[in-house]
């Protein structure tokens, strides 16, 4: 390490996420062979408002930076000062990305090798309760003066870095972190490389957890390790903050993508993770409902709801619900007016449905009409099938299955590939019960639309039946 040039850096910013952050102060100290060569420090006019919260933290207010140089005025000076140096910072990805974005706004590509003193400290000074700069300095007796100002934090980081160099005289740890294929600089500061190394490269779900082991993000993947790492390559503000709060990564292999999707939905429902945006809100469904109107006629209609509940039928959008109503109307000779397919008219005159037998004008008896409506409703009940989807298991001697009973998702399980199954009860022996929700229904219907029925086995009265033609657009309820 004696021949390498290091630039130890700390920046202060306006806050507002990685992409919205603007520099308010920078300090850079050059080291070579463990010795300080030079120092550069400057306030910077961020060209945006500094909030009271940031001022309370850093002491830097709008008046202090009003006459300070703007970044574009000192960018060349900064680049030349630290040219050919390895970028070093405590929690390096933050400082590096903020500075890189400033150069990017000027049209320049800023790239440096980087080292994180948080990660180096975890490796070379293991066992501490906290690796934040303040706590770390307290633990190993490093003076930290003028906290949360660029120069004060940089001076402390320089002393820390010098001690870390002394703890690795052969440079083995430093060189491993600087290796071209090392992911050390990419990983969040609190996450050990060993946790990532142990992740499998198979389908399943993964959970990011905070310091208290609370789930803050749940995701699914075809390749768990590759997907987890992709979060840390992403420079979006959300991904950065996710990384900063992640201390642990857990996983569960599933053997197939469908099971991973269903488990992801279950973990999001159960833990309501902070960084998951999708699947937190119940989706809107459209349900075909029936009621008796003032004339005693059983009338059909479409209702919008956020719950999956008992109804004649439930669909993901109004168009599908309307299409199904039209099919019922045509097949059972129902009146478009009393299926809410036509309004503002005493006698139906639908442009497409022409076989109404006259309940609207009194030429068909209400009782006879209601019998047809009842028959139509019963036909929809028959479209709620019982079936099992069989998929790949977690290893070659195992199969996974998903059970849907009378149109409602029951859960999943695993069984040996050579187990003989003849009835639903046989599957229920291995079943892990799960909650049936809007999102699980959507996942299963999407699977059926894309994959067809090659992996599907239907059951009638609990016994394996021949596969019939099913309308897979009809939502499982």
């Amino acid at each position: 390490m004696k021949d390498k040039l290091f630039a130890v850096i700390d920046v202060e910013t306006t806050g507002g996420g990685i992409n919205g952050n603007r520099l308010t102060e920078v300090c850079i100290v050059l080291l070579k062979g463990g010795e300080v060569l030079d120092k550069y420090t400057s306030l910077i006019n961020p060209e945006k408002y500094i909030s009271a919260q940031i001022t309370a933290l850093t002491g830097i207010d709008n008046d202090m930076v009003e006459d300070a140089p703007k970044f574009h005025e000192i960018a060349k000076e900064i680049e030349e000062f630290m040219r050919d140096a390895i970028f070093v910072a405590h929690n390096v990805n933050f400082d590096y990305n903020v500075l890189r974005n400033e150069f990017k706004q000027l049209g320049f590509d800023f790239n440096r090798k980087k080292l994180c003193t948080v990660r180096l400290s975890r490796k070379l000074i293991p066992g501490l309760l906290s690796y934040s700069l303040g706590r770390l300095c307290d633990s190993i007796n490093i003076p930290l003066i003028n906290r949360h100002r660029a120069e004060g934090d940089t001076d402390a980081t320089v002393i820390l870095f010098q001690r870390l160099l002394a703890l690795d005289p052969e440079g083995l740890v430093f060189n491993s972190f600087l290796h071209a294929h090392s992911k050390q600089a990419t990983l969040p500061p609190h996450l050990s490389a060993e946790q990532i190394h142990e992740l499998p490269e198979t389908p399943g779900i993964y959970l990011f957890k905070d310091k208290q082991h609370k789930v803050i993000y749940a995701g699914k993947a075809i390749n768990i390790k590759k997907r987890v790492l992709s979060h840390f390559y992403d420079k979006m503000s959300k991904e950065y903050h996710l990384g900063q709060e992640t201390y642990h990564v857990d996983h569960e292999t599933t053997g197939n993508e469908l099971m991973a999707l269903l488990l992801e939905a279950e973990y999001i429902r159960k833990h309501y993770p902070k960084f998951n945006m999708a699947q937190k809100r119940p989706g809107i469904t459209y349900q075909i409902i029936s009621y008796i109107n003032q004339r005693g006629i059983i009338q059909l209609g479409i209702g919008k709801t956020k719950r999956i509940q008992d109804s004649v039928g439930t669909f993901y959008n109004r168009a599908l619900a309307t299409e199904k109503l039209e099919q019922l109307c045509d097949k059972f000779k129902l009146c478009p007016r009393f299926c809410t397919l036509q309004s503002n008219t005493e006698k139906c005159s639908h442009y497409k449905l022409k076989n109404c037998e006259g309940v609207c004008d009194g030429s068909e008896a209400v009782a006879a009409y209601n019998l047809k409506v009842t028959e139509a409703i019963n036909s929809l009940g028959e479209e709620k099938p019982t079936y099992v989807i069989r998929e790949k298991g977690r290893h070659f001697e195992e199969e996974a299955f998903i059970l849907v009973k009378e149109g409602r998702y029951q859960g999943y399980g695993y069984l040996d590939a050579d187990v003989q199954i003849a009835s639903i009860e046989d599957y229920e022996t291995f079943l892990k019960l799960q909650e049936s929700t809007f999102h699980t229904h959507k996942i299963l219907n999407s699977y059926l639309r894309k994959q067809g029925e090659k992996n599907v086995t239907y059951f009638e009265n609990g016994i394996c039946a021949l596969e019939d033609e099913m309308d897979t657009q009809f939502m499982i309820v």
Side-chain angles (χ1 to χ4, degrees), residues 140-356:
I140 59 176
N141 299 315
I142 293 176
L144 179 51
I145 303 167
N146 213 5
R147 182 78 172 105
H148 294 303
R149 287 297 299 270
E151 187 169 15
D153 287 352
T154 301
D155 287 345
T157 305
V158 166
I159 297 172
L160 171 62
F161 189 67
Q162 289 171 324
R163 292 194 185 179
L164 293 170
L165 284 168
L167 290 170
D168 187 34
E170 303 298 322
L172 298 178
V173 173
F174 276 75
N175 281 322
S176 69
F177 277 43
L178 286 169
H179 192 276
H181 298 292
S182 171
K183 296 181 175 63
Q184 292 285 354
T186 305
L187 296 181
H190 311 297
L191 194 62
S192 70
E194 287 74 16
Q195 288 192 64
I196 300 301
H197 178 72
E198 291 170 359
L199 292 174
E201 298 186 50
T202 55
I205 60 103
Y206 56 92
L207 305 173
F208 287 176
K209 296 183 177 182
D210 65 13
K211 195 172 184 178
Q212 286 73 42
H213 287 268
K214 180 181 178 181
V215 176
I216 57 175
Y217 185 83
K220 72 91 187 173
I222 296 175
N223 181 319
I224 293 174
K225 179 183 285 188
K226 186 176 180 181
R227 182 68 185 97
V228 167
L229 284 170
S230 73
H231 285 280
F232 309 137
Y233 296 141
D234 197 321
K235 304 306 179 187
M236 295 295 289
S237 182
K238 174 195 165 187
E239 299 287 4
Y240 169 77
H241 289 295
L242 171 61
Q244 295 305 295
E245 295 187 34
T246 298
Y247 283 73
H248 314 278
V249 177
D250 287 345
H251 70 276
E252 184 174 341
T253 59
T254 60
N256 62 84
E257 185 179 15
L258 174 59
M259 195 86 83
L261 285 165
L262 292 168
L263 273 180
E264 178 191 40
E266 172 63 14
Y267 275 105
I268 292 173
R269 182 196 68 80
K270 185 177 179 180
H271 296 285
Y272 208 73
K274 174 180 178 180
F275 286 94
N276 282 99
M277 298 295 113
Q279 300 191 37
K280 280 187 173 180
R281 297 178 182 176
I284 298 296
T285 62
Y286 293 85
Q287 299 185 323
I288 296 178
I289 57 175
S290 66
Y291 59 94
I292 299 175
N293 68 17
Q294 291 180 339
R295 289 179 55 184
I297 297 171
I298 301 176
Q299 188 157 338
L300 300 179
I302 298 174
K304 184 168 70 171
T305 179
K306 289 185 178 180
R307 276 191 206 170
I308 293 176
Q309 54 196 16
D310 290 336
S311 65
V312 176
T314 307
F315 303 81
Y316 290 127
N317 59 59
R318 184 177 289 276
L320 286 175
T322 301
E323 181 183 356
K324 179 56 68 174
L325 263 181
E326 289 177 348
Q327 291 172 6
L328 293 176
C329 214
D330 182 57
K331 181 178 180 180
F332 294 94
K333 299 182 180 180
L334 304 183
C335 177
R337 179 187 167 197
F338 293 116
C339 291
T340 61
L341 295 170
Q342 193 174 17
S343 60
N344 301 323
T345 178
E346 287 298 318
K347 187 178 185 301
C348 68
S349 57
H350 195 274
Y351 75 100
K352 182 168 65 173
L353 302 169
K354 305 294 185 183
N355 56 359
C356 171

